Amino acid sequence: QVQLVESGGGLVQPGGSLRLSCKASGFTLEYYAIGWFRQAPGKEREGVVCISSGDSSTYYADSVKGRFTISRDNAKNTVYLQMNSLKPEDTAVYYCATVRDRCMVVAGIVGYYWGQGTQVTVSS
């Protein structure tokens, strides 16, 4: 029924760019706040960025602000994460999820329905 599918991950050199996609099925994305999370081996999953429902306000973790951009394409029922100026510390599995709580405090966002994740590796 409710499904989110991430795509677009891969191997990129430091300073490079990737665009991740989060495609929704079984519900309409524009009515939900959507977060991107990431998890590196041995580390806790952390919120990276969140886009609210309604006015689609965006909020970013300090570690990615100015480098990452989240956006919606409601006609395609898809949320994107454009990642520029990638650093080795960005290496992680990236997940999108519906967010139950408020977007404003990115460190505190909590996922509800999750995608399967897509691997991003930043290495020379």
Side-chain angles (χ1 to χ4, degrees):
Q1 295 182 344
V2 174
Q3 187 174 25
L4 294 168
V5 178
E6 301 96 333
S7 62
L11 175 64
V12 65
Q13 295 193 35
S17 297
L18 287 171
R19 189 178 76 159
L20 307 184
S21 298
C22 176
K23 174 74 172 179
S25 300
F27 69 102
T28 301
L29 264 183
E30 69 177 296
Y31 303 136
Y32 292 81
I34 302 295
W36 284 95
F37 302 75
R38 66 186 182 187
Q39 187 169 23
K43 296 185 65 178
E44 294 291 310
R45 188 173 296 179
E46 62 177 345
V48 177
V49 57
C50 190
I51 185 167
S52 68
S53 62
D55 67 358
S56 293
S57 297
T58 57
Y59 305 91
Y60 298 87
D62 289 342
S63 60
V64 305
K65 192 174 182 65
R67 300 188 297 121
F68 291 12
T69 304
I70 189 171
S71 62
R72 293 181 184 267
D73 186 336
N74 291 332
K76 296 182 178 179
N77 213 29
T78 299
V79 169
Y80 301 99
L81 182 64
Q82 179 67 46
M83 306 187 296
N84 298 325
S85 301
L86 283 162
K87 304 175 180 179
E89 51 263 45
D90 296 318
T91 295
V93 178
Y94 283 72
Y95 302 87
C96 66
T98 57
V99 173
R100 290 188 179 274
D101 51 4
R102 296 182 181 274
C103 270
M104 187 167 59
V105 182
V106 176
I109 59 175
V110 177
Y112 173 35
Y113 290 113
W114 293 85
Q116 85 289 347
T118 186
Q119 176 71 48
V120 172
T121 302
V122 185
S123 176
S124 60

